[in-house]
Amino acid sequence: MSATPDPSRLHHAIMESFVERGVAPTTADLAEALSVSEPEVEAALRALDDAHGVVLHPGSTDIWVAHPFSAAPSAFVVRSTDTTWWAPCAWCALGVAAVVDADVEIVTTLGADGSQATLRVAGGRIAPSDHVVHFSVPMRRAWDNVVYTCSTMLLFASESDVDAWCVRHAIPRGDVQPVERVWALARAWYGNHRAPDWRKWTVDEAREIFGRVGLDGPIWALPEAAERF
């Protein structure tokens, strides 16, 4: 007898597909992996989407984003020796490196309108870099439109480049962090994402992670009332 998969099992199967094959699983893939019916998978995916554990295409149960992975082409390409992934943003690109736990290079375009840049992660460490990451959208508003939020988390050569970019594109200037700190955030945030018993961070847990890696200020403030981030 089949049973609707719980969020942890479903999320684990999604992560395994991305890590091992570099692509999002179909509902048929998930039904086979979890020994349930496709309608049960579709219902579970909609529930996971509602809980911000995955992002589905509008009007569909096809997976668009399962952080830190993107099923659609993006500005961040993460490559190991044998697999290539897309990531929605700079934070997620480093998150992919944390989840796959392999030596990778991350290739992107600075500010999504500049020159190409490469970050390298090897042996669990990020290679020294002067690059910074800009976070424009306050975390308390991140899920208002998470695809837009991710699209603005970009890599830059310097803080002054962020300032000029924000003026040029009329996008609010938020918080700027060195790439080494964002790597620490990615490891703390995504370190459990491949675990079979994964669950969403609570707001309190998210707040603790931000504080632990040295992130504070208005961009990183979270609402008191929310249960999960």
Side-chain angles (χ1 to χ4, degrees), residues 8 11-12 15 67-68 95 98-99 185-202 205 209 228:
S8 298
H11 184 269
H12 179 64
M15 288 294 106
H67 293 94
V99 171
L185 171 64
R187 293 185 73 186
W189 193 268
Y190 288 113
N192 77 327
H193 260 53
R194 199 178 177 182
D197 60 351
W198 167 91
R199 60 175 177 78
K200 285 284 289 182
W201 296 118
T202 66
E205 288 168 337
I209 291 171
R228 301 275 174 183

Side-chain angles (χ1 to χ4, degrees), residues 160-177:
S160 61
D161 284 352
V162 173
D163 295 337
W165 182 89
C166 289
V167 172
R168 186 163 68 250
H169 294 291
I171 290 176
R173 205 268 199 195
D175 190 40
V176 179
Q177 292 292 335

Side-chain angles (χ1 to χ4, degrees), residues 12-187:
H12 179 64
I14 293 168
M15 288 294 106
E16 289 301 294
S17 179
F18 272 111
V19 172
E20 299 297 337
R21 301 191 295 132
V23 298
T26 65
T27 54
D29 292 334
L30 292 168
E32 181 178 359
L34 299 171
S35 300
V36 297
S37 69
E38 288 190 46
E40 286 171 322
V41 168
E42 291 170 351
L45 282 169
R46 291 189 186 97
L48 194 61
D49 179 67
D50 288 342
H52 299 162
V54 71
V55 181
L56 303 178
H57 285 282
S60 168
T61 54
D62 293 337
I63 296 168
W64 185 355
V65 174
H67 293 94
F69 300 98
S70 173
S74 73
F76 291 85
V77 178
V78 185
R79 295 192 182 102
S80 69
T81 56
D82 55 5
T83 311
T84 298
W85 304 272
W86 287 310
C89 65
W91 176 3
C92 286
L94 291 166
V96 170
V99 171
V100 302
D101 193 24
D103 295 351
V104 302
E105 66 173 19
I106 298 166
V107 181
T108 189
T109 301
L110 297 176
D113 67 357
S115 59
Q116 193 174 81
T118 301
L119 300 175
R120 291 179 173 84
V121 176
R125 297 178 179 273
I126 189 167
S129 172
D130 293 329
H131 289 93
V132 297
V133 179
H134 178 226
F135 297 85
S136 176
V137 178
M139 292 298 110
R140 65 184 180 277
R141 303 295 303 274
W143 282 96
D144 290 358
N145 182 344
V146 74
V147 173
Y148 173 79
T149 297
C150 284
S151 74
T152 64
M153 293 181 187
L154 299 171
L155 192 71
F156 292 87
S158 67
E159 194 160 348
S160 61
D161 284 352
V162 173
D163 295 337
W165 182 89
C166 289
V167 172
R168 186 163 68 250
H169 294 291
I171 290 176
R173 205 268 199 195
D175 190 40
V176 179
Q177 292 292 335
V179 73
E180 289 84 357
R181 182 168 291 154
V182 183
W183 171 235
L185 171 64
R187 293 185 73 186

